[in-house]
Amino acid sequence: MRKILFVILSVLALTACKKEIDFDFHEVDPIVVIEGRVTNEGAAVVITHSRAVTDSVHQRCIQGAVVTIMVDGAALPISYDPVSDSYRSTVGGVAGKTYQLTVDLDGHHYSGSAFMPAPAPILQADFFWMSMLDERMLVYELWAVDPYPSERNYYWYRIDRISHHPHFEGKHSTEPYRWGVKDDRGCPPGKMFIDMMATSEKAMDEDEEDNWKSILYDGDTICCQLMTIDQGVYDYFSSLRAGQSGGSNPRSNLTGGCLGYFAAGSVTRADTIVFKRDKVTMWKQQW
């Protein structure tokens, strides 16, 4: 059943038709956007303004805000860091605690809270070939320990890659490759898995420019991180993905009339992989 569902989702993701459509976008006043998180590795808050869909210029973090993260009545030391262009603290959070974020900017007050669950230790993670209809798909599968086996748990995951392939003109900076959220429904007791579709074998063979960002090349460095999150953060990222095709804003867990989110979570990381296509084996069901 798991494999059938994955096939259906993969076909829907890869099947699309192209058509040029002219949209009449309405201009609106910029809205404050806050993206904040506290993890076991530290805390970071980025504050920007929303921009028009036709504006591709990357915005810098707004300085001059009063940013505070509280836990158990005490504040984490957080201030603007010009190197990372964010409000940052090197003090990590503690699982089992609820954190509150407040941002005061230009006379406006924004706030939110999030609970930090226990970490999910990663058991194994690797690439496999999975047969789907008449194609082979490259899939990244991750297994981890479910920190609360008797409860519903929520996860955010992200794969970054560094590519040295000539297609990318020598740009070796780390770039996001895949991300998503998942709960533990359908997973075996005490464990959770994530199957992340990378690309098709056919796309890798054809190597067309439209697919360069999704194709993995020999020598690409792959890094994956997994973060346990609470339901409010899960709902935000779920609605963000759903709204990308419909143009709607995600369900923020912040108050005060801004966009964005505040997350508290425990981060674990899989072993770094240097991708080698000829080393990828066929997927075998583990349960």
Short mmCIF file of all heavy atoms in Angstrom, two decimals, residues 207-253:
data_model
loop_
_atom_site.label_atom_id
_atom_site.label_comp_id
_atom_site.label_asym_id
_atom_site.label_seq_id
_atom_site.Cartn_x
_atom_site.Cartn_y
_atom_site.Cartn_z
N ASP A 207 19.45 14.52 -19.39
CA ASP A 207 20.24 15.65 -18.90
C ASP A 207 19.86 16.96 -19.58
O ASP A 207 20.71 17.72 -20.05
CB ASP A 207 21.74 15.37 -19.09
CG ASP A 207 22.63 16.30 -18.27
OD1 ASP A 207 22.12 16.84 -17.26
OD2 ASP A 207 23.80 16.50 -18.64
N GLU A 208 18.55 17.23 -19.64
CA GLU A 208 18.09 18.47 -20.25
C GLU A 208 18.20 19.63 -19.25
O GLU A 208 18.06 19.45 -18.04
CB GLU A 208 16.64 18.32 -20.71
CG GLU A 208 16.48 17.28 -21.82
CD GLU A 208 15.04 17.15 -22.27
OE1 GLU A 208 14.16 17.74 -21.61
OE2 GLU A 208 14.80 16.46 -23.28
N GLU A 209 18.44 20.82 -19.76
CA GLU A 209 18.71 21.98 -18.91
C GLU A 209 17.55 22.27 -17.95
O GLU A 209 17.77 22.70 -16.81
CB GLU A 209 18.98 23.22 -19.76
CG GLU A 209 19.38 24.43 -18.94
CD GLU A 209 19.82 25.60 -19.81
OE1 GLU A 209 19.87 25.44 -21.06
OE2 GLU A 209 20.12 26.67 -19.25
N ASP A 210 16.31 22.04 -18.37
CA ASP A 210 15.17 22.29 -17.50
C ASP A 210 15.20 21.42 -16.24
O ASP A 210 14.55 21.75 -15.25
CB ASP A 210 13.85 22.03 -18.25
CG ASP A 210 13.57 23.11 -19.28
OD1 ASP A 210 14.22 24.18 -19.22
OD2 ASP A 210 12.69 22.90 -20.14
N ASN A 211 15.94 20.33 -16.29
CA ASN A 211 15.97 19.39 -15.16
C ASN A 211 17.28 19.43 -14.37
O ASN A 211 17.47 18.63 -13.45
CB ASN A 211 15.74 17.96 -15.66
CG ASN A 211 14.38 17.78 -16.28
OD1 ASN A 211 13.39 18.34 -15.81
ND2 ASN A 211 14.31 16.99 -17.34
N TRP A 212 18.17 20.34 -14.70
CA TRP A 212 19.48 20.35 -14.06
C TRP A 212 19.38 20.49 -12.54
O TRP A 212 20.14 19.87 -11.80
CB TRP A 212 20.34 21.49 -14.60
CG TRP A 212 20.92 21.20 -15.96
CD1 TRP A 212 20.82 20.02 -16.67
CD2 TRP A 212 21.67 22.10 -16.78
NE1 TRP A 212 21.46 20.14 -17.87
CE2 TRP A 212 22.00 21.39 -17.97
CE3 TRP A 212 22.10 23.41 -16.63
CZ2 TRP A 212 22.73 21.99 -19.00
CZ3 TRP A 212 22.83 24.01 -17.65
CH2 TRP A 212 23.15 23.30 -18.81
N LYS A 213 18.44 21.31 -12.07
CA LYS A 213 18.34 21.53 -10.63
C LYS A 213 17.83 20.31 -9.87
O LYS A 213 18.06 20.19 -8.66
CB LYS A 213 17.43 22.73 -10.35
CG LYS A 213 18.06 24.07 -10.71
CD LYS A 213 17.20 25.23 -10.27
CE LYS A 213 17.88 26.56 -10.57
NZ LYS A 213 17.06 27.72 -10.11
N SER A 214 17.15 19.41 -10.55
CA SER A 214 16.63 18.22 -9.86
C SER A 214 17.53 16.99 -10.07
O SER A 214 17.46 16.04 -9.29
CB SER A 214 15.21 17.89 -10.35
OG SER A 214 15.22 17.58 -11.74
N ILE A 215 18.35 17.02 -11.11
CA ILE A 215 19.24 15.88 -11.37
C ILE A 215 20.41 15.90 -10.40
O ILE A 215 21.00 16.95 -10.14
CB ILE A 215 19.76 15.93 -12.82
CG1 ILE A 215 18.60 15.75 -13.81
CG2 ILE A 215 20.83 14.87 -13.06
CD1 ILE A 215 19.00 15.98 -15.26
N LEU A 216 20.76 14.74 -9.88
CA LEU A 216 21.95 14.60 -9.06
C LEU A 216 23.08 14.06 -9.92
O LEU A 216 22.88 13.13 -10.72
CB LEU A 216 21.70 13.67 -7.88
CG LEU A 216 20.71 14.19 -6.82
CD1 LEU A 216 20.53 13.17 -5.71
CD2 LEU A 216 21.17 15.52 -6.26
N TYR A 217 24.26 14.63 -9.76
CA TYR A 217 25.43 14.24 -10.55
C TYR A 217 26.49 13.62 -9.64
O TYR A 217 26.56 13.94 -8.44
CB TYR A 217 26.01 15.45 -11.28
CG TYR A 217 25.05 16.08 -12.26
CD1 TYR A 217 24.24 17.15 -11.88
CD2 TYR A 217 24.94 15.60 -13.56
CE1 TYR A 217 23.35 17.72 -12.77
CE2 TYR A 217 24.06 16.17 -14.47
CZ TYR A 217 23.26 17.23 -14.07
OH TYR A 217 22.37 17.80 -14.96
N ASP A 218 27.28 12.75 -10.21
CA ASP A 218 28.38 12.15 -9.44
C ASP A 218 29.24 13.24 -8.82
O ASP A 218 29.64 14.20 -9.51
CB ASP A 218 29.23 11.27 -10.34
CG ASP A 218 28.60 9.92 -10.62
OD1 ASP A 218 27.49 9.67 -10.11
OD2 ASP A 218 29.20 9.11 -11.35
N GLY A 219 29.50 13.10 -7.55
CA GLY A 219 30.30 14.09 -6.83
C GLY A 219 29.49 15.11 -6.08
O GLY A 219 30.05 15.86 -5.26
N ASP A 220 28.18 15.17 -6.33
CA ASP A 220 27.34 16.09 -5.55
C ASP A 220 27.37 15.68 -4.08
O ASP A 220 27.25 14.50 -3.74
CB ASP A 220 25.89 16.05 -6.04
CG ASP A 220 25.69 16.81 -7.35
OD1 ASP A 220 26.69 17.34 -7.87
OD2 ASP A 220 24.55 16.86 -7.84
N THR A 221 27.49 16.66 -3.21
CA THR A 221 27.47 16.40 -1.76
C THR A 221 26.06 16.63 -1.23
O THR A 221 25.47 17.69 -1.46
CB THR A 221 28.46 17.33 -1.04
OG1 THR A 221 29.78 17.13 -1.57
CG2 THR A 221 28.49 17.04 0.46
N ILE A 222 25.54 15.63 -0.52
CA ILE A 222 24.17 15.66 -0.04
C ILE A 222 24.16 15.69 1.48
O ILE A 222 24.76 14.84 2.14
CB ILE A 222 23.37 14.44 -0.54
CG1 ILE A 222 23.45 14.33 -2.06
CG2 ILE A 222 21.93 14.49 -0.05
CD1 ILE A 222 22.85 15.51 -2.79
N CYS A 223 23.46 16.68 2.04
CA CYS A 223 23.31 16.81 3.49
C CYS A 223 21.83 16.89 3.82
O CYS A 223 21.09 17.65 3.20
CB CYS A 223 24.02 18.06 4.00
SG CYS A 223 25.74 18.23 3.50
N CYS A 224 21.39 16.11 4.80
CA CYS A 224 19.98 16.09 5.18
C CYS A 224 19.83 16.36 6.66
O CYS A 224 20.57 15.81 7.48
CB CYS A 224 19.34 14.75 4.82
SG CYS A 224 17.58 14.64 5.26
N GLN A 225 18.89 17.21 7.01
CA GLN A 225 18.58 17.46 8.41
C GLN A 225 17.10 17.20 8.66
O GLN A 225 16.25 17.44 7.80
CB GLN A 225 18.95 18.89 8.82
CG GLN A 225 18.27 19.99 8.05
CD GLN A 225 18.67 21.36 8.54
OE1 GLN A 225 18.33 21.76 9.66
NE2 GLN A 225 19.42 22.10 7.73
N LEU A 226 16.82 16.72 9.86
CA LEU A 226 15.46 16.38 10.27
C LEU A 226 15.17 17.12 11.56
O LEU A 226 15.98 17.10 12.50
CB LEU A 226 15.35 14.86 10.50
CG LEU A 226 14.02 14.33 11.02
CD1 LEU A 226 12.93 14.46 9.97
CD2 LEU A 226 14.17 12.86 11.45
N MET A 227 14.02 17.80 11.62
CA MET A 227 13.67 18.55 12.81
C MET A 227 12.29 18.16 13.30
O MET A 227 11.33 18.15 12.52
CB MET A 227 13.72 20.05 12.55
CG MET A 227 13.50 20.90 13.80
SD MET A 227 13.95 22.65 13.56
CE MET A 227 12.54 23.25 12.65
N THR A 228 12.18 17.78 14.56
CA THR A 228 10.88 17.54 15.16
C THR A 228 10.24 18.90 15.46
O THR A 228 10.89 19.81 15.96
CB THR A 228 11.02 16.74 16.46
OG1 THR A 228 11.99 17.36 17.31
CG2 THR A 228 11.47 15.31 16.17
N ILE A 229 8.95 19.03 15.16
CA ILE A 229 8.24 20.30 15.32
C ILE A 229 6.88 20.04 15.96
O ILE A 229 6.43 18.89 16.05
CB ILE A 229 8.06 21.00 13.97
CG1 ILE A 229 7.39 20.07 12.97
CG2 ILE A 229 9.40 21.49 13.44
CD1 ILE A 229 7.10 20.70 11.61
N ASP A 230 6.21 21.11 16.39
CA ASP A 230 4.87 20.94 16.93
C ASP A 230 3.84 21.09 15.81
O ASP A 230 4.18 21.41 14.66
CB ASP A 230 4.60 21.90 18.10
CG ASP A 230 4.60 23.38 17.68
OD1 ASP A 230 4.55 23.67 16.47
OD2 ASP A 230 4.65 24.24 18.58
N GLN A 231 2.58 20.89 16.12
CA GLN A 231 1.54 20.87 15.09
C GLN A 231 1.36 22.23 14.43
O GLN A 231 1.09 22.31 13.22
CB GLN A 231 0.21 20.39 15.66
CG GLN A 231 -0.87 20.24 14.60
CD GLN A 231 -2.17 19.67 15.14
OE1 GLN A 231 -2.27 19.33 16.32
NE2 GLN A 231 -3.16 19.55 14.27
N GLY A 232 1.52 23.32 15.20
CA GLY A 232 1.35 24.64 14.62
C GLY A 232 2.34 24.92 13.51
O GLY A 232 1.99 25.48 12.46
N VAL A 233 3.59 24.52 13.70
CA VAL A 233 4.61 24.71 12.67
C VAL A 233 4.35 23.78 11.49
O VAL A 233 4.51 24.16 10.33
CB VAL A 233 6.02 24.47 13.26
CG1 VAL A 233 7.09 24.66 12.19
CG2 VAL A 233 6.26 25.41 14.43
N TYR A 234 3.94 22.55 11.79
CA TYR A 234 3.58 21.59 10.73
C TYR A 234 2.45 22.16 9.86
O TYR A 234 2.51 22.09 8.63
CB TYR A 234 3.15 20.27 11.36
CG TYR A 234 2.57 19.27 10.39
CD1 TYR A 234 3.38 18.43 9.65
CD2 TYR A 234 1.18 19.17 10.24
CE1 TYR A 234 2.84 17.51 8.76
CE2 TYR A 234 0.62 18.25 9.36
CZ TYR A 234 1.46 17.42 8.62
OH TYR A 234 0.92 16.51 7.75
N ASP A 235 1.43 22.74 10.50
CA ASP A 235 0.31 23.31 9.74
C ASP A 235 0.79 24.45 8.85
O ASP A 235 0.30 24.61 7.73
CB ASP A 235 -0.77 23.80 10.70
CG ASP A 235 -1.51 22.66 11.39
OD1 ASP A 235 -1.43 21.52 10.90
OD2 ASP A 235 -2.15 22.92 12.43
N TYR A 236 1.73 25.26 9.35
CA TYR A 236 2.24 26.37 8.55
C TYR A 236 2.91 25.85 7.28
O TYR A 236 2.60 26.29 6.16
CB TYR A 236 3.23 27.21 9.36
CG TYR A 236 3.97 28.22 8.51
CD1 TYR A 236 3.40 29.45 8.20
CD2 TYR A 236 5.23 27.93 7.97
CE1 TYR A 236 4.06 30.37 7.39
CE2 TYR A 236 5.90 28.84 7.16
CZ TYR A 236 5.31 30.05 6.87
OH TYR A 236 5.96 30.94 6.06
N PHE A 237 3.86 24.91 7.43
CA PHE A 237 4.59 24.43 6.27
C PHE A 237 3.69 23.61 5.34
O PHE A 237 3.89 23.64 4.11
CB PHE A 237 5.79 23.60 6.71
CG PHE A 237 6.96 24.44 7.17
CD1 PHE A 237 7.39 24.41 8.48
CD2 PHE A 237 7.63 25.26 6.29
CE1 PHE A 237 8.45 25.18 8.91
CE2 PHE A 237 8.70 26.04 6.69
CZ PHE A 237 9.11 26.01 8.01
N SER A 238 2.72 22.90 5.88
CA SER A 238 1.78 22.17 5.03
C SER A 238 0.96 23.13 4.18
O SER A 238 0.78 22.92 2.97
CB SER A 238 0.84 21.31 5.89
OG SER A 238 1.53 20.29 6.56
N SER A 239 0.46 24.20 4.80
CA SER A 239 -0.33 25.17 4.04
C SER A 239 0.54 25.98 3.09
O SER A 239 0.09 26.43 2.05
CB SER A 239 -1.08 26.10 5.00
OG SER A 239 -0.18 26.82 5.84
N LEU A 240 1.84 26.14 3.44
CA LEU A 240 2.77 26.83 2.53
C LEU A 240 2.93 26.04 1.24
O LEU A 240 2.86 26.60 0.14
CB LEU A 240 4.12 27.00 3.21
CG LEU A 240 5.25 27.60 2.35
CD1 LEU A 240 4.91 29.03 1.94
CD2 LEU A 240 6.58 27.57 3.11
N ARG A 241 3.12 24.73 1.35
CA ARG A 241 3.27 23.89 0.15
C ARG A 241 1.97 23.87 -0.65
O ARG A 241 2.00 23.95 -1.88
CB ARG A 241 3.66 22.47 0.54
CG ARG A 241 5.01 22.37 1.23
CD ARG A 241 5.77 21.15 0.81
NE ARG A 241 6.24 21.25 -0.55
CZ ARG A 241 7.24 20.53 -1.04
NH1 ARG A 241 7.87 19.66 -0.27
NH2 ARG A 241 7.62 20.64 -2.29
N ALA A 242 0.85 23.76 0.05
CA ALA A 242 -0.44 23.72 -0.65
C ALA A 242 -0.73 25.04 -1.34
O ALA A 242 -1.30 25.07 -2.44
CB ALA A 242 -1.55 23.37 0.32
N GLY A 243 -0.32 26.14 -0.73
CA GLY A 243 -0.63 27.46 -1.27
C GLY A 243 0.27 27.89 -2.40
O GLY A 243 -0.02 28.87 -3.09
N GLN A 244 1.39 27.18 -2.61
CA GLN A 244 2.31 27.55 -3.68
C GLN A 244 1.66 27.47 -5.05
O GLN A 244 2.00 28.23 -5.95
CB GLN A 244 3.57 26.68 -3.61
CG GLN A 244 4.50 27.05 -2.48
CD GLN A 244 5.71 26.12 -2.39
OE1 GLN A 244 5.67 24.99 -2.85
NE2 GLN A 244 6.77 26.61 -1.79
N SER A 245 0.73 26.53 -5.21
CA SER A 245 0.06 26.39 -6.50
C SER A 245 -1.19 27.25 -6.59
O SER A 245 -1.62 27.62 -7.68
CB SER A 245 -0.32 24.92 -6.73
OG SER A 245 -1.18 24.45 -5.70
N GLY A 246 -1.76 27.60 -5.43
CA GLY A 246 -3.00 28.37 -5.44
C GLY A 246 -2.82 29.85 -5.17
O GLY A 246 -3.77 30.63 -5.29
N GLY A 247 -1.62 30.25 -4.76
CA GLY A 247 -1.38 31.67 -4.53
C GLY A 247 -1.86 32.19 -3.19
O GLY A 247 -1.90 33.40 -2.97
N SER A 248 -2.23 31.31 -2.27
CA SER A 248 -2.72 31.74 -0.96
C SER A 248 -1.60 31.76 0.05
O SER A 248 -0.61 31.03 -0.08
CB SER A 248 -3.85 30.82 -0.48
OG SER A 248 -3.38 29.49 -0.35
N ASN A 249 -1.75 32.59 1.08
CA ASN A 249 -0.75 32.67 2.13
C ASN A 249 -0.91 31.52 3.11
O ASN A 249 -2.03 31.07 3.38
CB ASN A 249 -0.87 33.99 2.89
CG ASN A 249 -0.45 35.18 2.06
OD1 ASN A 249 0.47 35.09 1.27
ND2 ASN A 249 -1.14 36.30 2.24
N PRO A 250 0.21 31.02 3.66
CA PRO A 250 0.13 29.91 4.63
C PRO A 250 -0.46 30.37 5.96
O PRO A 250 -0.53 31.57 6.25
CB PRO A 250 1.59 29.48 4.79
CG PRO A 250 2.38 30.70 4.45
CD PRO A 250 1.60 31.40 3.38
N ARG A 251 -0.86 29.39 6.77
CA ARG A 251 -1.46 29.65 8.08
C ARG A 251 -0.37 29.97 9.09
O ARG A 251 0.28 29.07 9.61
CB ARG A 251 -2.23 28.41 8.53
CG ARG A 251 -3.65 28.66 8.91
CD ARG A 251 -4.34 27.39 9.31
NE ARG A 251 -3.97 26.25 8.48
CZ ARG A 251 -4.46 25.04 8.64
NH1 ARG A 251 -5.30 24.81 9.62
NH2 ARG A 251 -4.10 24.05 7.86
N SER A 252 -0.14 31.23 9.39
CA SER A 252 0.93 31.62 10.29
C SER A 252 0.56 31.33 11.74
O SER A 252 -0.60 31.36 12.12
CB SER A 252 1.23 33.12 10.13
OG SER A 252 2.21 33.53 11.07
N ASN A 253 1.58 31.03 12.56
CA ASN A 253 1.36 30.87 14.00
C ASN A 253 1.82 32.12 14.75
O ASN A 253 2.04 32.07 15.96
CB ASN A 253 2.07 29.62 14.53
CG ASN A 253 3.59 29.70 14.39
OD1 ASN A 253 4.12 30.55 13.68
ND2 ASN A 253 4.29 28.80 15.06
#
